[in-house]
Amino acid sequence: MSHHSVVNNSVVVNNRAVVHLRNGGTSVLVDTSGPALPVIVHWGADLGSPDAADLDAIVLATLPQRVSGGLDVPARLGLLPQETTGWQGTPGLTGSRAGRFFSPALLTTAIEHTGDTLTVHATDDINRLALRIDLAVDAAGVLSSSLTLTNTGDDDYDLVDLCVTLPLPASATEILDTTGRHLRERSPQRHAFTQGRHQRDSRKGRPGADATLLLAAGTPGFGFESGLVHAAHLAFSGNHRLAAEKLVTGSAFLQAGELLAAGEIRLAPGAGYSTPTVIASWGDGLNELSARIHTRLRSRDVHPRTPRPVTLNTWEAVYFDHDLGRLTALAQAAARVGVERYVLDDGWFHGRRDDTAGLGDWVVDADVWPDGLGPLIDTVTGLGMQFGLWVEPEMVNPDSDLARAHPDWLLQAAERLPVEGRQQQVLDLSHPDAYAYILESLDALLVEYPIDYLKWDHNRDLVDAGSTRTGTAAVHENVVALYALLDELKARHPGLEIESCASGGARVDLGILDHTDRIWTSDCIDPIERLTIQKYTGLLVPYELMGAHISGPESHSTGRRHDLSLRAGVALFGHLGIEWDISALSAADEAELISWIDLYEANRALFHTGTSVHVDHPDPAVDLRGVVAADQSEAMFVFSLVASSAAYPVGPLRFTGLADDTRYSVRLVNREHTGVGNGQSPLVWAERPLTLTGRALRTIGLQGPVLFPEHLAVFQITSA
Ligand code: DGJ
């Protein structure tokens, strides 16, 4: 039975109106029986292979009923909700032609359905707009979508808002998203999902430390191991908006798009605008939801596949004290403990003696480095390590030759400079001359020196970010230019890796990660803080893309002191590095550091290809996380006691993600760091050869070792 009243210019949709995108354990059912824009009837669990009649029945079963006091035609949530359909929630498109033509009425003109992708073409002849909607479900079961709007009229169209809209099931009654601040990024927050709108805006020109990494909605109390949950992420590094909304009609949905400033996108006749891609996932628990996203990322051509080198970053070791002798001693110590990449941080370029000057002048400082960077790089590469260099290309100190020569290259509004942040202003990369200057400055460094890696920093939020050429807001154009710049440098220097850093973790998104190789997760390396930061960053970012460094004994950002076992055990869950002056360690400390680096190297393939899991433990003092090999043959888990526990001992620890019917042996890797003195008996299971099935480990678990607070235990789990 065909429901098509629309013109289908391209692929015929199997002669029926319901499109079933089915891939990676996810089904998305789309009712395309126009001319109204298509409606997602289901997004989530795999529906198997329903036939056409089944699909029609599902659609009919979901059609809403007219109610008293309402409009005569009950509105459905279209792929782009519009007021013309009677929709009374937030629309998917807002814009006008100088105030007129404010209510779009887009109707479907063509549907293309190939495999797991659906493209919808729509036009609006009165408002003179054309829309393309792209929807796809990949092999990981991740739903992605973007929209492209084109002005088909002969005057300008001012775009205010264009958002991807995805439905949520009625069972979603609780919201989880992330907020945060410098040194505490991706801090989770939860609340009830009631009628109304929960909207998170970023107006910082970068996602920000408080960015909504994911906006998730699910069943009450959904956790990592269970509870139906759906979430969306916007793959973009500028201003953005994510929202969850619930109407009196019961309709609940997620919306995501770029947050545009007034006049930022004015579409000239014939011009178009594409939204960033929205990445959406679901799962029975957050572990499943995240695993889909991680699998998607790992299938990208640009995904780093070489072993992630143990890194030493000089920042917390020497800060601005760029002394060749000191940095050479650090390099020698790094090589001794097994470091594979040495990164020279801030302070090497012209005039940069502290954080008040120099940004913009990307030449080596002749006073501090009279012979250039060559002598240090020769030492580093001679010791068998890669060399990396810190840069902050989008930033300019007013006290710099660049700012003095080109004041018009700085982002600003109405001919006044924005409030400074860290004594710096922001370069307008959308200015062709500024772009060319930065490209050639960085290229010259990469040509002169064997630099394998750039740590690309960005240390202030943007405000008043306008272009002097156009007088309009320019965040969008700057993100576009940044991505082009990163790609151009990588094209010119094959093999170059780039880390995205922004005051620590203020630019963490899947837009930047399509152009870079890892993120600096946070400037806070205190392992207790890092447990939460890495757990929630990991909702989106797999460990191989997440910088995790071992700090010195005292955290520079919290003042807390921790044993090396905690600092190192937490850094295993990431791309491991060291940020600590290790040039004068005691022999015992050096030996212990080497043993942790050996453990990382022996297991990095597991951490960087396996499935990340978190166990929902009822005790807030217990953090239990692990990585399970894709074939479930092995796993590594870490139990951290983050505070003193009310229970003593803490009781059984369950291990999730293993194969139910496989027998595993469990080894306590760091027994020497467990126990609290002489008061406890040996842990029975650890004293003898013992195997347990994955089912027993998942449902019953085993007794966790007694630990001092702020200590951890590492478990190596191997199929017997
Ligand atoms: C902020 C970064 O997050 C730090 O790691 C360090 O690179 C400083 N900037 C340098 O200024």
Side-chain angles (χ1 to χ4, degrees), residues 315 345-346 390 422 455 457 459 501 503-504 520 523 579:
W315 182 240
D345 209 282
D346 195 357
W390 180 96
R422 206 190 190 199
K455 175 179 175 182
D457 211 340
N459 279 306
C501 174
S503 320
W520 180 224
D523 275 352
E579 202 153 328

Side-chain angles (χ1 to χ4, degrees), residues 382-697:
L383 289 164
M385 296 182 286
Q386 297 179 11
F387 181 77
L389 190 64
W390 180 96
V391 291
E392 194 178 3
E394 298 146 274
M395 295 294 160
V396 183
N397 284 119
D399 184 1
S400 67
D401 292 346
L402 176 66
R404 283 182 282 270
H406 300 287
D408 57 318
W409 288 4
L410 302 182
L411 287 170
Q412 53 198 276
E415 295 177 15
R416 64 186 143 62
L417 284 173
V419 174
E420 289 181 10
R422 206 190 190 199
Q423 304 89 37
Q424 59 200 51
Q425 295 290 358
V426 187
L427 190 69
D428 179 7
L429 271 187
S430 71
H431 191 303
D433 297 339
Y435 180 95
Y437 164 78
I438 288 294
L439 174 63
E440 297 313 327
S441 303
L442 296 179
D443 186 61
L445 285 164
L446 294 165
V447 167
E448 182 175 0
Y449 296 114
I451 296 170
D452 303 286
Y453 182 79
L454 290 177
K455 175 179 175 182
W456 189 293
D457 211 340
H458 180 285
N459 279 306
R460 64 159 293 172
D461 291 332
L462 274 57
V463 289
D464 273 350
S467 150
T468 58
R469 287 173 307 122
T470 60
T472 59
V475 169
H476 174 85
E477 288 305 322
N478 269 266
V479 175
V480 171
L482 168 67
Y483 291 167
L485 178 61
L486 293 164
D487 291 350
E488 177 67 31
L489 286 168
K490 285 189 153 221
R492 288 191 189 185
H493 302 278
L496 174 70
E497 291 198 4
I498 302 177
E499 170 179 42
S500 167
C501 174
S503 320
R507 187 152 65 186
V508 173
D509 64 83
L510 297 187
I512 201 76
L513 274 170
D514 270 346
H515 306 274
T516 57
D517 302 276
R518 76 169 211 177
I519 48 117
W520 180 224
T521 316
S522 174
D523 275 352
C524 181
I525 334 180
D526 176 325
I528 291 296
E529 301 293 330
R530 271 298 184 118
L531 281 169
T532 305
I533 295 170
Q534 292 173 194
K535 180 173 183 174
Y536 287 91
T537 303
L539 287 175
L540 191 75
V541 181
Y543 291 128
E544 65 272 22
L545 304 182
M546 197 194 297
H549 292 178
I550 302 171
S551 70
E554 181 176 318
S555 164
H556 292 197
S557 54
T558 65
R560 292 192 196 115
R561 297 184 70 85
H562 294 112
D563 286 358
L564 178 55
S565 59
L566 185 79
R567 283 140 52 209
V570 170
L572 289 175
F573 290 83
H575 173 182
L576 182 135
I578 298 168
E579 202 153 328
W580 171 21
D581 185 355
I582 55 168
S583 55
L585 291 188
S586 69
D589 284 351
E590 191 167 292
E592 190 187 343
L593 180 58
I594 290 170
S595 73
W596 283 103
I597 290 173
D598 287 348
L599 186 68
Y600 166 75
E601 289 182 352
N603 290 282
R604 67 180 143 189
L606 168 64
F607 278 100
H608 296 167
T609 62
T611 308
S612 163
V613 291
H614 294 271
V615 177
D616 295 317
H617 197 282
D619 186 341
V622 172
D623 180 285
L624 181 57
R625 62 187 63 192
V627 179
V628 181
D631 65 3
Q632 295 173 302
S633 62
E634 58 167 336
M636 185 163 272
F637 277 79
V638 169
F639 154 42
S640 307
L641 192 66
V642 298
S644 70
S645 167
Y648 190 49
V650 292
L653 304 175
R654 294 181 306 99
F655 299 87
T656 191
L658 300 164
D660 267 0
D661 294 323
T662 300
R663 281 206 171 67
Y664 296 93
S665 63
V666 183
R667 184 172 72 87
L668 183 54
V669 174
N670 63 329
R671 183 192 294 222
E672 68 277 20
H673 303 120
T674 66
V676 293
N678 298 321
Q680 66 276 323
S681 61
L683 201 51
V684 174
W685 66 262
E687 295 297 314
R688 67 194 70 201
L690 188 76
T691 62
L692 290 162
T693 62
R695 185 178 288 103
L697 285 166

